[in-house]
């Protein structure tokens, strides 16, 4: 539902990854605030998916282009690092609970 409310979550942008993460978090906070204090203002969870809110979305230009080899490699390494950190954290939690 947040994508229906916040166009920036649907479109590609050139912000650094750290900024993009902050945008997503900020939109989540705003969404939750609105849901708490003005629940009548929430967008309907149903409706036609073909409602475009920007020319880029209507023309199908979102996400166009190719991702090069170096970027794919960098993303793969980042994903593996995150997965490894999550696994180690999970193992530490199990050990702390005495479940290992």
């Amino acid at each position: 539902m947040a994508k229906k409310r916040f166009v920036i979550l649907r479109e590609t942008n050139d912000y650094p990854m750290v900024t993009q993460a902050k945008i997503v978090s900020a939109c989540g906070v705003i969404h939750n605030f609105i849901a708490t204090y003005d629940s009548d203002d929430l967008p309907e969870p149903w409706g036609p998916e073909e409602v475009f809110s920007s020319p880029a979305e209507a023309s199908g230009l979102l996400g166009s282009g190719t991702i090069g080899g170096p970027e794919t490699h960098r993303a793969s390494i980042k994903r593996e690092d995150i997965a490894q950190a999550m696994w180690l954290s999970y193992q530490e939690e199990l050990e702390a609970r005495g479940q290992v």
Side-chain angles (χ1 to χ4, degrees):
M1 269 195 336
K3 285 184 177 183
K4 289 186 177 196
R5 179 181 296 275
F6 304 106
V7 175
I8 196 165
L9 297 177
R10 290 191 303 262
E11 295 184 352
T12 58
N13 59 61
D14 294 327
Y15 295 114
M17 192 60 68
V18 172
T19 303
Q20 290 183 39
K22 290 177 182 177
I23 289 170
V24 171
S25 296
C27 288
V29 168
I30 294 168
H31 173 80
N32 290 340
F33 181 86
I34 292 170
T36 301
Y37 294 102
D38 190 8
S39 59
D40 293 336
D41 191 33
L42 291 176
E44 299 296 332
W46 58 87
E49 292 297 321
E50 297 301 319
V51 175
F52 301 115
S53 59
S54 72
E57 188 176 2
S59 65
L61 295 177
L62 297 179
S64 63
T66 58
I67 298 172
E71 181 65 16
T72 301
H73 181 69
R74 187 190 68 74
S76 293
I77 291 172
K78 180 77 169 177
R79 182 181 59 245
E80 290 301 318
D81 289 346
I82 292 169
Q84 183 66 26
M86 290 173 67
W87 178 253
L88 292 174
S89 176
Y90 174 68
Q91 292 299 311
E92 289 172 3
E93 181 64 26
L94 288 178
E95 192 173 305
R97 293 180 184 186
Q99 296 176 350
V100 176

Coordinates of all heavy atoms in Angstrom, one line a residue:
M1 N 0.8 -1.2 0.0 CA 0.0 0.0 0.0 C 0.9 1.3 0.0 O 0.4 2.3 -0.5 CB -0.9 0.0 1.2 CG -2.2 -0.6 0.9 SD -3.6 -0.3 2.0 CE -2.9 0.0 3.6
A2 N 2.0 1.2 0.6 CA 2.9 2.4 0.6 C 3.3 2.8 -0.8 O 3.4 4.0 -1.0 CB 4.1 2.1 1.5
K3 N 3.4 1.9 -1.7 CA 3.8 2.2 -3.0 C 2.7 3.0 -3.7 O 3.0 3.8 -4.6 CB 4.1 1.0 -3.9 CG 5.5 0.4 -3.5 CD 5.8 -0.8 -4.4 CE 7.1 -1.3 -4.2 NZ 7.4 -2.4 -5.1
K4 N 1.5 2.8 -3.3 CA 0.4 3.6 -3.9 C 0.4 5.0 -3.4 O 0.0 5.9 -4.1 CB -1.0 3.0 -3.6 CG -1.2 1.7 -4.3 CD -2.6 1.2 -4.1 CE -2.9 -0.1 -4.9 NZ -4.3 -0.4 -4.9
R5 N 0.9 5.2 -2.2 CA 0.9 6.5 -1.6 C 2.1 7.3 -2.0 O 2.1 8.5 -2.2 CB 0.8 6.4 -0.1 CG 0.8 7.8 0.6 CD 0.8 7.6 2.1 NE -0.5 7.1 2.6 CZ -1.6 7.7 2.8 NH1 -1.6 9.0 2.6 NH2 -2.7 7.1 3.2
F6 N 3.3 6.7 -2.1 CA 4.5 7.4 -2.3 C 5.2 7.0 -3.6 O 5.7 5.9 -3.7 CB 5.5 7.0 -1.1 CG 5.0 7.3 0.2 CD1 4.6 6.4 1.1 CD2 4.9 8.7 0.7 CE1 4.1 6.7 2.3 CE2 4.4 9.0 1.9 CZ 4.0 8.0 2.8
V7 N 5.1 7.9 -4.6 CA 5.6 7.6 -5.9 C 7.0 7.3 -5.9 O 7.5 6.4 -6.7 CB 5.3 8.8 -6.8 CG1 5.9 8.6 -8.2 CG2 3.8 9.0 -6.9
I8 N 7.8 7.9 -5.0 CA 9.2 7.7 -5.0 C 9.6 6.2 -4.7 O 10.7 5.8 -5.1 CB 9.9 8.6 -3.9 CG1 11.4 8.7 -4.2 CG2 9.6 8.2 -2.5 CD1 12.1 9.8 -3.4
L9 N 8.7 5.5 -4.1 CA 9.0 4.0 -3.9 C 8.8 3.2 -5.1 O 9.3 2.1 -5.2 CB 8.1 3.5 -2.8 CG 8.3 4.1 -1.4 CD1 7.2 3.6 -0.4 CD2 9.7 4.0 -0.9
R10 N 8.1 3.7 -6.2 CA 7.9 3.0 -7.4 C 8.9 3.3 -8.5 O 9.1 2.5 -9.4 CB 6.5 3.3 -7.9 CG 5.4 2.7 -7.1 CD 4.1 2.8 -7.8 NE 3.7 4.2 -8.2 CZ 2.9 5.0 -7.5 NH1 2.4 4.5 -6.4 NH2 2.7 6.2 -7.9
E11 N 9.5 4.5 -8.4 CA 10.4 4.9 -9.5 C 11.8 4.7 -9.2 O 12.2 4.7 -8.0 CB 10.1 6.4 -9.8 CG 8.7 6.6 -10.3 CD 8.5 8.1 -10.7 OE1 9.4 8.9 -10.4 OE2 7.5 8.4 -11.3
T12 N 12.7 4.5 -10.2 CA 14.1 4.5 -10.0 C 14.6 5.9 -9.7 O 14.0 6.9 -10.1 CB 14.8 3.9 -11.2 OG1 14.5 4.7 -12.3 CG2 14.4 2.5 -11.4
N13 N 15.7 6.0 -9.0 CA 16.3 7.3 -8.7 C 17.8 7.1 -8.7 O 18.4 6.0 -8.7 CB 15.7 7.9 -7.5 CG 16.0 7.0 -6.3 OD1 17.1 6.7 -5.9 ND2 14.9 6.6 -5.6
D14 N 18.5 8.2 -8.6 CA 20.0 8.2 -8.5 C 20.5 8.5 -7.2 O 21.7 8.8 -7.0 CB 20.5 9.3 -9.5 CG 20.2 8.9 -11.0 OD1 20.2 7.7 -11.3 OD2 20.0 9.8 -11.8
Y15 N 19.7 8.4 -6.1 CA 20.2 8.6 -4.8 C 21.1 7.5 -4.4 O 21.0 6.4 -4.8 CB 19.1 8.7 -3.8 CG 18.1 9.9 -4.0 CD1 16.8 9.7 -4.4 CD2 18.6 11.2 -3.8 CE1 16.0 10.8 -4.6 CE2 17.7 12.3 -4.0 CZ 16.4 12.1 -4.4 OH 15.6 13.1 -4.6
P16 N 22.1 7.8 -3.5 CA 23.0 6.7 -3.0 C 22.1 5.7 -2.2 O 21.0 6.0 -1.7 CB 23.9 7.5 -2.0 CG 23.8 8.9 -2.4 CD 22.5 9.1 -3.0
M17 N 22.6 4.5 -2.1 CA 21.8 3.4 -1.4 C 21.5 3.8 0.0 O 20.4 3.4 0.4 CB 22.7 2.1 -1.5 CG 21.9 0.9 -1.1 SD 20.5 0.6 -2.2 CE 21.2 0.1 -3.7
V18 N 22.4 4.4 0.7 CA 22.1 4.8 2.1 C 20.9 5.8 2.1 O 20.0 5.6 3.0 CB 23.3 5.5 2.7 CG1 23.0 6.0 4.1 CG2 24.4 4.5 2.8
T19 N 20.8 6.7 1.2 CA 19.7 7.7 1.1 C 18.4 6.9 0.8 O 17.3 7.2 1.3 CB 20.0 8.8 0.1 OG1 21.2 9.4 0.5 CG2 18.9 9.8 0.1
Q20 N 18.5 6.0 -0.2 CA 17.3 5.2 -0.6 C 16.7 4.5 0.6 O 15.5 4.4 0.8 CB 17.7 4.3 -1.7 CG 17.9 5.0 -3.0 CD 18.2 4.0 -4.2 OE1 17.6 2.9 -4.2 NE2 19.1 4.3 -5.0
A21 N 17.6 3.9 1.4 CA 17.1 3.2 2.6 C 16.4 4.1 3.6 O 15.4 3.8 4.2 CB 18.3 2.5 3.3
K22 N 16.9 5.3 3.7 CA 16.3 6.3 4.6 C 15.0 6.7 4.0 O 14.0 7.0 4.8 CB 17.2 7.5 4.8 CG 18.5 7.2 5.6 CD 19.4 8.4 5.7 CE 20.6 8.1 6.5 NZ 21.5 9.2 6.5
I23 N 14.9 6.8 2.7 CA 13.6 7.2 2.1 C 12.5 6.2 2.4 O 11.4 6.5 2.7 CB 13.8 7.4 0.6 CG1 14.6 8.7 0.3 CG2 12.4 7.5 -0.2 CD1 15.0 8.9 -1.2
V24 N 12.9 4.9 2.2 CA 11.9 3.8 2.5 C 11.5 3.9 3.9 O 10.3 3.8 4.3 CB 12.6 2.5 2.1 CG1 11.7 1.3 2.6 CG2 12.8 2.4 0.6
S25 N 12.5 4.0 4.8 CA 12.1 4.1 6.3 C 11.2 5.3 6.6 O 10.2 5.2 7.3 CB 13.4 4.2 7.1 OG 14.1 3.0 7.0
A26 N 11.6 6.4 6.0 CA 10.8 7.6 6.2 C 9.3 7.5 5.7 O 8.4 7.9 6.4 CB 11.4 8.9 5.6
C27 N 9.2 6.9 4.5 CA 7.9 6.6 4.0 C 7.1 5.7 4.9 O 5.9 5.9 5.1 CB 7.9 6.1 2.6 SG 8.5 7.3 1.4
G28 N 7.8 4.7 5.4 CA 7.1 3.8 6.4 C 6.6 4.5 7.6 O 5.5 4.2 8.1
V29 N 7.4 5.4 8.2 CA 7.0 6.1 9.4 C 5.8 7.0 9.0 O 4.9 7.1 9.8 CB 8.2 7.0 9.9 CG1 7.8 8.0 10.9 CG2 9.3 6.0 10.4
I30 N 5.9 7.7 7.9 CA 4.8 8.6 7.5 C 3.5 7.8 7.3 O 2.4 8.1 7.8 CB 5.1 9.4 6.3 CG1 6.3 10.4 6.6 CG2 3.9 10.1 5.8 CD1 6.9 11.0 5.4
H31 N 3.6 6.6 6.6 CA 2.5 5.8 6.4 C 1.9 5.3 7.7 O 0.6 5.4 7.9 CB 2.9 4.6 5.6 CG 1.9 3.5 5.4 ND1 0.9 3.6 4.5 CD2 1.6 2.4 6.1 CE1 0.1 2.6 4.6 NE2 0.5 1.8 5.5
N32 N 2.7 4.9 8.7 CA 2.2 4.4 10.0 C 1.6 5.6 10.8 O 0.6 5.4 11.4 CB 3.3 3.7 10.8 CG 3.7 2.4 10.2 OD1 3.0 1.8 9.4 ND2 4.9 2.0 10.5
F33 N 2.2 6.7 10.7 CA 1.6 7.9 11.3 C 0.2 8.2 10.8 O -0.7 8.4 11.6 CB 2.5 9.1 11.2 CG 2.0 10.4 11.8 CD1 2.3 10.6 13.2 CD2 1.2 11.3 11.2 CE1 1.8 11.7 13.8 CE2 0.8 12.4 11.8 CZ 1.1 12.6 13.1
I34 N 0.1 8.2 9.5 CA -1.2 8.5 8.9 C -2.2 7.4 9.2 O -3.4 7.7 9.6 CB -1.1 8.6 7.3 CG1 -0.3 9.9 7.0 CG2 -2.5 8.6 6.7 CD1 0.1 10.0 5.5
A35 N -1.8 6.1 9.2 CA -2.7 5.0 9.6 C -3.2 5.2 11.0 O -4.3 4.8 11.3 CB -2.0 3.7 9.4
T36 N -2.3 5.7 11.9 CA -2.7 5.8 13.3 C -3.6 7.0 13.5 O -4.6 6.9 14.3 CB -1.4 6.0 14.2 OG1 -0.6 4.9 14.0 CG2 -1.8 6.2 15.6
Y37 N -3.3 8.2 12.9 CA -4.0 9.4 13.2 C -5.1 9.8 12.2 O -5.9 10.7 12.5 CB -3.0 10.5 13.5 CG -2.2 10.3 14.7 CD1 -0.9 9.8 14.5 CD2 -2.7 10.5 15.9 CE1 -0.1 9.6 15.7 CE2 -1.9 10.2 17.1 CZ -0.6 9.8 16.9 OH 0.1 9.5 18.0
D38 N -5.1 9.2 11.0 CA -6.1 9.5 10.0 C -6.4 8.3 9.2 O -6.1 8.3 8.0 CB -5.7 10.7 9.2 CG -6.8 11.2 8.3 OD1 -7.9 10.8 8.4 OD2 -6.5 12.1 7.4
S39 N -6.9 7.3 9.8 CA -7.1 6.0 9.1 C -8.0 6.1 7.9 O -8.0 5.2 7.0 CB -7.6 4.9 10.0 OG -8.9 5.3 10.6
D40 N -8.9 7.2 7.8 CA -9.7 7.4 6.6 C -8.9 7.8 5.4 O -9.4 7.7 4.3 CB -10.8 8.4 6.9 CG -11.8 8.0 8.0 OD1 -11.9 6.8 8.1 OD2 -12.4 8.9 8.6
D41 N -7.7 8.2 5.6 CA -6.9 8.7 4.5 C -6.0 7.6 3.8 O -5.3 7.8 2.9 CB -5.9 9.8 5.0 CG -5.2 10.5 3.8 OD1 -5.9 10.7 2.8 OD2 -4.1 10.9 4.0
L42 N -6.2 6.3 4.2 CA -5.4 5.3 3.7 C -5.9 4.9 2.3 O -7.1 4.9 2.0 CB -5.5 4.0 4.5 CG -4.7 4.1 5.9 CD1 -5.0 2.8 6.7 CD2 -3.3 4.3 5.6
P43 N -5.0 4.7 1.3 CA -5.5 4.3 0.0 C -6.1 2.9 0.0 O -5.7 2.0 0.9 CB -4.2 4.3 -0.8 CG -3.1 4.1 0.1 CD -3.6 4.7 1.4
E44 N -7.0 2.6 -0.9 CA -7.6 1.3 -0.9 C -6.6 0.2 -1.4 O -5.8 0.5 -2.3 CB -8.8 1.3 -1.9 CG -9.9 2.3 -1.6 CD -10.6 2.0 -0.3 OE1 -10.6 0.8 0.1 OE2 -11.0 2.9 0.4
P45 N -6.6 -0.9 -0.7 CA -5.6 -1.9 -1.1 C -5.9 -2.6 -2.4 O -5.1 -3.3 -3.0 CB -5.7 -2.9 0.1 CG -7.1 -2.7 0.6 CD -7.4 -1.3 0.4
W46 N -7.1 -2.4 -2.9 CA -7.5 -3.0 -4.2 C -7.6 -1.8 -5.2 O -7.4 -0.7 -4.9 CB -8.8 -3.7 -4.1 CG -9.9 -2.8 -3.6 CD1 -10.7 -2.0 -4.4 CD2 -10.3 -2.6 -2.3 NE1 -11.6 -1.3 -3.6 CE2 -11.3 -1.7 -2.3 CE3 -9.9 -3.1 -1.0 CZ2 -12.0 -1.2 -1.1 CZ3 -10.5 -2.7 0.1 CH2 -11.5 -1.8 0.1
G47 N -7.8 -2.2 -6.4 CA -8.0 -1.1 -7.5 C -7.1 -1.5 -8.7 O -6.3 -2.4 -8.6
P48 N -7.4 -0.9 -9.7 CA -6.6 -1.2 -11.0 C -5.2 -0.9 -10.8 O -4.8 0.1 -10.3 CB -7.3 -0.3 -12.0 CG -7.9 0.8 -11.3 CD -8.3 0.3 -9.9
E49 N -4.4 -1.9 -11.2 CA -2.9 -1.7 -11.2 C -2.4 -0.8 -12.3 O -1.3 -0.4 -12.3 CB -2.2 -3.1 -11.2 CG -2.5 -3.9 -10.0 CD -1.9 -3.3 -8.7 OE1 -0.8 -2.7 -8.8 OE2 -2.6 -3.4 -7.7
E50 N -3.3 -0.6 -13.3 CA -2.9 0.2 -14.4 C -3.0 1.7 -14.2 O -3.0 2.5 -15.2 CB -3.7 -0.3 -15.7 CG -3.4 -1.7 -16.0 CD -1.9 -2.0 -16.4 OE1 -1.3 -1.1 -17.0 OE2 -1.4 -3.0 -15.9
V51 N -3.2 2.2 -13.0 CA -3.3 3.6 -12.7 C -1.9 4.1 -12.6 O -1.2 3.7 -11.7 CB -4.1 3.9 -11.5 CG1 -4.1 5.3 -11.1 CG2 -5.5 3.3 -11.6
F52 N -1.5 4.9 -13.6 CA -0.1 5.4 -13.6 C -0.1 6.8 -12.9 O -0.9 7.6 -13.2 CB 0.4 5.5 -15.0 CG 0.4 4.1 -15.7 CD1 -0.4 3.9 -16.8 CD2 1.2 3.1 -15.2 CE1 -0.4 2.7 -17.4 CE2 1.2 1.9 -15.8 CZ 0.4 1.7 -17.0
S53 N 1.0 7.0 -12.2 CA 1.1 8.3 -11.5 C 2.2 9.2 -12.1 O 2.4 10.3 -11.6 CB 1.3 8.1 -10.0 OG 2.5 7.3 -9.8
S54 N 2.9 8.6 -13.0 CA 4.0 9.4 -13.6 C 4.1 9.0 -15.1 O 3.8 7.9 -15.5 CB 5.3 9.2 -12.9 OG 5.8 8.0 -13.2
P55 N 4.6 10.0 -15.9 CA 4.9 9.6 -17.3 C 5.8 8.5 -17.5 O 5.7 7.6 -18.4 CB 5.4 10.9 -17.9 CG 5.0 12.0 -17.0 CD 4.9 11.4 -15.6
A56 N 6.9 8.4 -16.6 CA 7.8 7.3 -16.7 C 7.2 6.0 -16.5 O 7.5 5.0 -17.2 CB 9.0 7.5 -15.7
E57 N 6.3 5.9 -15.5 CA 5.6 4.7 -15.2 C 4.7 4.3 -16.4 O 4.6 3.1 -16.7 CB 4.8 4.8 -13.9 CG 4.2 3.6 -13.4 CD 3.5 3.7 -12.1 OE1 3.4 4.9 -11.6 OE2 3.0 2.7 -11.6
A58 N 4.0 5.2 -16.9 CA 3.0 4.9 -18.0 C 3.8 4.5 -19.3 O 3.3 3.7 -20.0 CB 2.2 6.2 -18.3
S59 N 5.0 5.0 -19.5 CA 5.7 4.7 -20.7 C 6.5 3.4 -20.6 O 7.1 2.9 -21.5 CB 6.6 5.8 -21.1 OG 7.6 6.0 -20.1
G60 N 6.6 2.9 -19.4 CA 7.3 1.6 -19.2 C 8.8 1.8 -19.1 O 9.6 0.9 -19.3
L61 N 9.2 3.1 -18.8 CA 10.7 3.4 -18.7 C 11.3 3.0 -17.3 O 12.5 3.1 -17.2 CB 10.9 4.8 -19.0 CG 10.6 5.3 -20.4 CD1 10.8 6.8 -20.6 CD2 11.4 4.5 -21.4
L62 N 10.5 2.6 -16.4 CA 11.0 2.3 -15.1 C 11.9 1.1 -15.1 O 11.5 0.1 -15.7 CB 9.9 2.1 -14.0 CG 9.1 3.4 -13.8 CD1 8.0 3.0 -12.8 CD2 9.9 4.5 -13.3
G63 N 13.0 1.2 -14.6 CA 13.9 0.0 -14.5 C 14.5 -0.5 -15.8 O 14.9 -1.6 -15.9
S64 N 14.5 0.4 -16.8 CA 15.0 0.0 -18.1 C 16.5 0.1 -18.1 O 17.1 0.7 -17.2 CB 14.4 0.9 -19.2 OG 14.8 2.2 -19.0
G65 N 17.1 -0.6 -19.0 CA 18.6 -0.6 -19.1 C 19.1 -1.9 -18.5 O 18.4 -2.7 -18.0
T66 N 20.4 -2.0 -18.7 CA 21.0 -3.2 -18.2 C 22.0 -2.9 -17.0 O 22.5 -1.8 -16.9 CB 21.8 -3.9 -19.3 OG1 22.8 -3.0 -19.8 CG2 20.9 -4.3 -20.4
I67 N 22.2 -3.9 -16.2 CA 23.1 -3.8 -15.1 C 24.4 -4.5 -15.5 O 24.4 -5.6 -15.9 CB 22.6 -4.4 -13.8 CG1 21.3 -3.7 -13.4 CG2 23.6 -4.3 -12.7 CD1 20.6 -4.3 -12.3
G68 N 25.5 -3.7 -15.5 CA 26.8 -4.3 -15.9 C 27.4 -5.3 -15.0 O 26.9 -5.5 -13.9
G69 N 28.4 -6.0 -15.5 CA 29.0 -7.1 -14.7 C 29.6 -6.6 -13.4 O 29.4 -7.3 -12.4
P70 N 30.3 -5.5 -13.4 CA 30.9 -5.0 -12.1 C 29.8 -4.7 -11.1 O 30.0 -5.1 -9.9 CB 31.6 -3.7 -12.5 CG 31.9 -3.9 -13.9 CD 30.8 -4.6 -14.5
E71 N 28.7 -4.1 -11.5 CA 27.6 -3.8 -10.5 C 27.0 -5.1 -10.0 O 26.7 -5.3 -8.9 CB 26.6 -2.9 -11.2 CG 25.4 -2.5 -10.3 CD 25.9 -1.7 -9.1 OE1 27.0 -1.1 -9.1 OE2 25.1 -1.6 -8.1
T72 N 26.8 -6.1 -10.9 CA 26.2 -7.4 -10.5 C 27.1 -8.1 -9.6 O 26.7 -8.6 -8.6 CB 26.0 -8.3 -11.8 OG1 25.1 -7.6 -12.7 CG2 25.4 -9.6 -11.4
H73 N 28.4 -8.0 -9.8 CA 29.4 -8.7 -8.9 C 29.4 -8.0 -7.6 O 29.4 -8.7 -6.5 CB 30.8 -8.6 -9.6 CG 31.9 -9.2 -8.7 ND1 31.9 -10.6 -8.5 CD2 32.9 -8.7 -8.1 CE1 33.0 -10.9 -7.8 NE2 33.6 -9.7 -7.5
R74 N 29.4 -6.7 -7.6 CA 29.4 -5.9 -6.3 C 28.1 -6.2 -5.5 O 28.2 -6.5 -4.3 CB 29.4 -4.4 -6.6 CG 29.6 -3.6 -5.3 CD 29.4 -2.1 -5.6 NE 28.0 -1.8 -5.9 CZ 27.0 -1.7 -5.1 NH1 27.2 -2.0 -3.8 NH2 25.8 -1.4 -5.5
A75 N 27.0 -6.3 -6.2 CA 25.7 -6.7 -5.5 C 25.7 -8.1 -5.0 O 25.2 -8.3 -3.9 CB 24.5 -6.5 -6.5
S76 N 26.3 -9.0 -5.7 CA 26.4 -10.4 -5.2 C 27.2 -10.5 -4.0 O 26.9 -11.2 -3.0 CB 27.0 -11.3 -6.3 OG 26.1 -11.4 -7.4
I77 N 28.4 -9.8 -4.0 CA 29.2 -9.8 -2.8 C 28.5 -9.2 -1.6 O 28.5 -9.7 -0.5 CB 30.5 -9.0 -3.1 CG1 31.4 -9.8 -4.1 CG2 31.3 -8.8 -1.8 CD1 32.6 -9.1 -4.6
K78 N 27.8 -8.1 -1.8 CA 27.1 -7.4 -0.8 C 26.0 -8.3 -0.2 O 25.8 -8.5 1.0 CB 26.5 -6.1 -1.3 CG 25.7 -5.3 -0.3 CD 26.6 -4.6 0.6 CE 25.7 -3.6 1.4 NZ 26.6 -2.9 2.4
R79 N 25.3 -9.0 -1.1 CA 24.2 -9.9 -0.7 C 24.8 -11.1 0.1 O 24.2 -11.4 1.2 CB 23.4 -10.4 -1.9 CG 22.3 -11.4 -1.6 CD 21.6 -11.9 -2.8 NE 22.5 -12.6 -3.7 CZ 22.8 -12.3 -4.9 NH1 22.4 -11.2 -5.4 NH2 23.7 -13.0 -5.6
E80 N 25.9 -11.6 -0.3 CA 26.5 -12.7 0.4 C 27.0 -12.3 1.8 O 26.9 -13.0 2.8 CB 27.7 -13.3 -0.4 CG 27.2 -14.1 -1.6 CD 26.3 -15.2 -1.2 OE1 26.5 -16.0 -0.2 OE2 25.3 -15.4 -1.9
D81 N 27.6 -11.0 1.9 CA 28.0 -10.5 3.1 C 26.9 -10.3 4.1 O 27.0 -10.7 5.3 CB 28.7 -9.1 2.9 CG 30.1 -9.3 2.3 OD1 30.6 -10.4 2.2 OD2 30.6 -8.2 1.8
I82 N 25.8 -9.8 3.6 CA 24.6 -9.6 4.5 C 24.1 -11.0 4.9 O 23.7 -11.2 6.1 CB 23.5 -8.9 3.7 CG1 23.9 -7.4 3.5 CG2 22.2 -8.9 4.5 CD1 23.0 -6.6 2.5
A83 N 24.0 -12.0 4.0 CA 23.5 -13.3 4.4 C 24.4 -13.9 5.4 O 23.9 -14.5 6.4 CB 23.4 -14.2 3.1
Q84 N 25.7 -13.8 5.3 CA 26.7 -14.4 6.2 C 26.5 -13.7 7.6 O 26.5 -14.4 8.6 CB 28.1 -14.2 5.7 CG 29.2 -14.8 6.6 CD 29.1 -16.3 6.6 OE1 28.6 -17.0 5.7 NE2 29.5 -16.9 7.7
A85 N 26.4 -12.4 7.6 CA 26.2 -11.7 8.9 C 24.9 -12.1 9.6 O 24.9 -12.3 10.8 CB 26.2 -10.2 8.6
M86 N 23.8 -12.3 8.8 CA 22.6 -12.7 9.4 C 22.7 -14.1 9.9 O 22.2 -14.4 11.0 CB 21.5 -12.7 8.3 CG 21.1 -11.3 7.9 SD 19.9 -11.3 6.5 CE 18.5 -12.1 7.2
W87 N 23.4 -15.0 9.2 CA 23.6 -16.4 9.7 C 24.4 -16.4 11.0 O 24.0 -17.1 11.9 CB 24.3 -17.2 8.6 CG 24.5 -18.6 9.1 CD1 25.7 -19.2 9.4 CD2 23.6 -19.7 9.3 NE1 25.6 -20.5 9.8 CE2 24.2 -20.8 9.7 CE3 22.2 -19.7 9.1 CZ2 23.6 -22.0 10.0 CZ3 21.5 -20.9 9.4 CH2 22.2 -22.0 9.9
L88 N 25.5 -15.6 11.0 CA 26.3 -15.6 12.2 C 25.5 -15.0 13.4 O 25.6 -15.5 14.5 CB 27.6 -14.8 12.0 CG 28.6 -15.4 11.0 CD1 29.7 -14.4 10.8 CD2 29.1 -16.7 11.6
S89 N 24.7 -14.0 13.2 CA 23.9 -13.4 14.2 C 22.9 -14.5 14.7 O 22.6 -14.6 15.9 CB 23.2 -12.2 13.7 OG 22.3 -11.7 14.7
Y90 N 22.3 -15.2 13.8 CA 21.3 -16.3 14.2 C 22.0 -17.4 15.0 O 21.4 -17.8 16.0 CB 20.7 -16.9 12.9 CG 19.8 -18.0 13.1 CD1 18.6 -17.9 13.7 CD2 20.2 -19.3 12.7 CE1 17.8 -19.0 13.9 CE2 19.4 -20.4 12.9 CZ 18.1 -20.2 13.5 OH 17.3 -21.3 13.7
Q91 N 23.2 -17.8 14.6 CA 23.9 -18.8 15.4 C 24.3 -18.3 16.8 O 24.2 -19.0 17.7 CB 25.2 -19.2 14.6 CG 25.0 -19.9 13.3 CD 24.2 -21.2 13.5 OE1 24.6 -22.0 14.4 NE2 23.2 -21.4 12.8
E92 N 24.7 -17.0 16.9 CA 25.0 -16.4 18.2 C 23.7 -16.4 19.1 O 23.8 -16.7 20.3 CB 25.5 -15.0 18.0 CG 26.9 -15.0 17.5 CD 27.4 -13.6 17.1 OE1 26.6 -12.6 17.4 OE2 28.5 -13.4 16.6
E93 N 22.6 -16.1 18.5 CA 21.3 -16.0 19.2 C 20.9 -17.4 19.7 O 20.5 -17.6 20.9 CB 20.2 -15.5 18.4 CG 18.9 -15.4 19.0 CD 18.8 -14.4 20.2 OE1 19.6 -13.5 20.3 OE2 18.0 -14.6 21.1
L94 N 21.1 -18.4 18.9 CA 20.8 -19.8 19.3 C 21.7 -20.2 20.4 O 21.3 -20.9 21.3 CB 20.9 -20.8 18.1 CG 19.9 -20.7 17.0 CD1 20.2 -21.7 15.9 CD2 18.5 -21.0 17.6
E95 N 23.0 -19.9 20.3 CA 24.0 -20.2 21.3 C 23.6 -19.5 22.6 O 23.7 -20.2 23.7 CB 25.4 -19.8 20.8 CG 26.5 -20.4 21.7 CD 27.8 -20.1 21.1 OE1 28.0 -20.5 19.9 OE2 28.7 -19.5 21.8
A96 N 23.2 -18.3 22.6 CA 22.9 -17.5 23.8 C 21.6 -18.2 24.4 O 21.5 -18.1 25.7 CB 22.6 -16.1 23.4
R97 N 20.8 -18.7 23.6 CA 19.5 -19.4 24.2 C 19.8 -20.8 24.6 O 18.9 -21.5 25.2 CB 18.4 -19.4 23.1 CG 17.9 -18.0 22.8 CD 16.8 -18.2 21.8 NE 16.3 -16.9 21.4 CZ 15.3 -16.7 20.6 NH1 14.7 -17.7 20.1 NH2 14.9 -15.5 20.2
G98 N 21.0 -21.3 24.3 CA 21.4 -22.7 24.7 C 20.7 -23.7 23.8 O 20.5 -24.8 24.2
Q99 N 20.4 -23.3 22.5 CA 19.7 -24.2 21.6 C 20.7 -24.8 20.6 O 20.2 -25.5 19.6 CB 18.6 -23.5 20.9 CG 17.5 -23.0 21.8 CD 16.5 -22.2 21.1 OE1 16.6 -21.8 19.9 NE2 15.4 -21.9 21.8
V100 N 22.0 -24.7 20.8 CA 22.9 -25.2 19.8 C 23.6 -26.4 20.4 O 23.9 -26.5 21.5 CB 24.0 -24.2 19.4 CG1 25.0 -24.8 18.5 CG2 23.3 -23.0 18.7

